[in-house]
Amino acid sequence: MIHLLGPALLAAVLAGIGVYGILARRNAVLVLIGAELLLNAANVLLVTASALPAGGLAALGDGLARAQDPLIPGQVMAVFVITVAAAEIGVALAIVLLLFRTRGTVELSEVRELGESSPTYTESPETAVEKG
């Protein structure tokens, strides 16, 4: 059995890098990568938690072997999170592509206003290319 410290440390590192990517980066694609790292950290923790015996960390101390849940809920939740992450990245990349086509940039600091009510909004992508 693998020690729980390794996966927990890996999840903490992934979450830290993901939070840094979301907060410090202004490129929309890098922000998306940061969000994906956060989701992968959650997956590592879910699979790690599913490796615990029934009763959690308290059951490790008493030395009694208890039956594992046959449905392996942590791994099922990890697959669910992967599915949600795949859908999220598809929608987010479509938004980034639309943002690039209309504004000519994916820098989030340059895109303060979104939507048709914005005074700088244009329908044609040619004007966005001329700006960029």
Side-chain angles (χ1 to χ4, degrees), residues 46-116:
L46 286 171
V47 172
T48 302
S50 72
L52 289 174
L57 290 175
L60 287 176
D62 62 5
L64 299 175
R66 297 181 184 162
Q68 288 273 340
D69 188 359
L71 296 177
I72 48 177
Q75 295 170 8
V76 171
M77 284 299 294
V79 170
F80 178 73
V81 169
I82 290 170
T83 306
V84 169
E88 173 254 337
I89 198 70
V91 171
L93 284 177
I95 291 172
V96 169
L97 183 62
L98 183 63
L99 181 70
F100 181 74
R101 285 184 179 173
T102 57
R103 302 292 175 115
T105 183
V106 292
E107 293 294 321
L108 296 177
S109 60
E110 296 179 14
V111 183
R112 296 277 180 206
E113 303 159 351
L114 294 175
E116 296 176 359

